[in-house]
Amino acid sequence: MFNLTGFQRDLLYAISSQSKPSGQEIKEVLERDVEEVRHGRLYPNLDTLVDQEYVEKGQLDRRTNYYEITEKGEKLLRERREWENDRVEFFS
């Protein structure tokens, strides 16, 4: 969980919120919710997540890849959420 950057965790959340999104669709989600994302930042970080087996990469057509979160990636997000919940308290 701590070996990923915040951006890489954001990518996992964006991927998990969709069904086999393309890189462009992931980019659009992040730009709508977070900030502008450059291709030079997006694809190397997606490749890192694939290399670490948090995400699977497949091919939609000759020019377009899709990304899908793996069980390992889902487990990481669950553990992260539990870790955050254990450390953050909201007072009403």
Side-chain angles (χ1 to χ4, degrees):
M1 158 176 49
F2 296 105
N3 62 332
L4 298 181
T5 66
F7 182 68
Q8 289 166 341
R9 284 191 303 269
D10 290 345
L11 287 171
L12 286 176
Y13 284 113
I15 293 166
S16 69
S17 72
Q18 300 180 39
S19 177
K20 296 184 179 182
S22 67
Q24 183 62 36
E25 290 169 328
I26 296 165
K27 181 180 183 291
E28 290 169 3
V29 166
L30 290 177
E31 287 183 336
R32 182 177 61 240
D33 295 341
V34 184
E35 64 184 58
E36 180 182 355
V37 177
R38 299 192 188 279
H39 287 286
R41 181 178 185 205
L42 176 66
Y43 291 101
N45 280 284
L46 286 171
D47 289 339
T48 297
L49 294 174
V50 170
D51 291 345
Q52 293 181 359
E53 300 178 348
Y54 294 123
V55 172
E56 288 180 357
K57 179 179 175 179
Q59 198 168 24
L60 290 173
D61 59 42
R62 295 181 77 185
R63 294 184 57 204
T64 309
N65 292 322
Y66 71 83
Y67 298 87
E68 186 171 34
I69 194 160
T70 63
E71 286 184 31
K72 182 179 176 181
E74 288 177 355
K75 182 177 185 250
L76 179 100
L77 289 179
R78 277 193 303 276
E79 289 173 354
R80 176 71 184 193
R81 181 60 54 97
E82 289 172 11
W83 182 84
E84 290 172 346
N85 288 342
D86 287 344
R87 281 149 187 81
V88 177
E89 291 184 33
F90 292 99
F91 302 97
S92 48

